[in-house]
Every structure is written in structure tokens, then in C-alpha cells.
Amino acid sequence: MATQLPVPLELDLPEGWTSAPPDEVDAPGAAFVALHLPSSDGFTANITVSGSMRTGDNVLEETAEESLERLTSATAGTAEMRQRQVLGSDDAPGLMQLVDLTTTIDNQPLKLIQFQVYLLLRDVSDPEKQVVVEVMLTCKESQFDTVLPDFQTFVSNIRPA
């Protein structure tokens, strides 16, 4: 079942991307899904957005680690972190990680890349209230250079509604 984001966000899709109901594209934990149909080549590049209320000091790193664990169990394959980097500033912190995935589609192994961005939003009136927004680009390596600029634009335009 699709989830709701804990805070309303404004999301602007780049040209060539189409939103899709999460439940209809097998993304039950997502609140928002976008598909890049022009790049479809045995796998449709996609962006998913989800989020959760979090407490603590290292919520970005904790969320990123939990995501790796979920990927490993959900894909019945492998999920290996290639790169992790801190983003943003003290006022608007973020974290990105690049993950290599191997999954099975139609009984065939498929290697994918997932570019994960975690954004921390704090309630200005109550800094203990924190939301981590998870934005994921999943694609084949052959699609990566085509869809990465759109993903970067998408992430840079996310803002509270």
C-alpha cells in the first residue's frame, strides 16, 4: 500500500517523466513514483519518494543503512554501497549514496544502480521533529547517464509545500 509523506512537498517532474500510482507499479512503500518511459529497455528507470518522522542525531546515516538492509532482503540479490557522501549544509543537511544492486526479473539476473538521496527537514518551531525524505533513482547502468541530470534537477527542486 502506498504511504503518505509526513509533510507535504512540492515536486516538479522533469520533461519525459510520468507519475504513476505506487501500488500499480509495485512500489508499496513509496508516496510518489515517476517513470522514465523513453529510457525503457527491459527495465524502466524510476524515481521514488518516501519519508518518515525520525528522532536522534544520526538519522540520515541510520536511514541510509536501513535502506541498504531493506534492499538486500527485498531484491533477493545483492546491494552493495559504492559511494556515500554528505550533502547540503547545517541548516539543510543531506546524504547521498550510490548502490549497486543485483535482482531477478523474469528469472534473469539484472544489475541496477540506485542513486539514493536523503534530505533532513526540521520543524523550525520544534527542532526535535525531523522528517527524512528519501528520494531514489533506480535504473540500469546503461540508462544512468541519461536520467541522472533529470534526477538531480528533481531533487534540487523538492521543497515543503
Side-chain angles (χ1 to χ4, degrees), residues 31-108:
F32 177 82
V33 175
L35 305 174
H36 191 258
L37 299 175
S39 71
S40 189
D41 176 25
F43 183 84
T44 303
N46 62 81
I47 296 171
T48 60
V49 179
S50 59
S52 59
M53 296 294 293
R54 303 294 297 236
T55 58
D57 295 328
N58 298 313
V59 294
L60 293 174
E61 292 83 1
E62 290 169 4
T63 306
E65 286 297 325
E66 291 166 6
S67 178
L68 279 173
E69 291 172 19
R70 277 193 316 267
L71 279 174
T72 300
S73 63
T75 62
T78 61
E80 296 180 19
M81 182 176 48
R82 184 190 304 182
Q83 179 185 1
R84 181 180 284 172
Q85 181 178 336
V86 174
L87 305 171
S89 64
D90 288 341
D91 293 334
L95 181 89
M96 65 73 67
Q97 64 185 14
L98 193 59
V99 178
D100 293 310
L101 302 173
T102 303
T103 189
T104 303
I105 295 182
D106 296 329
N107 294 320
Q108 297 294 318

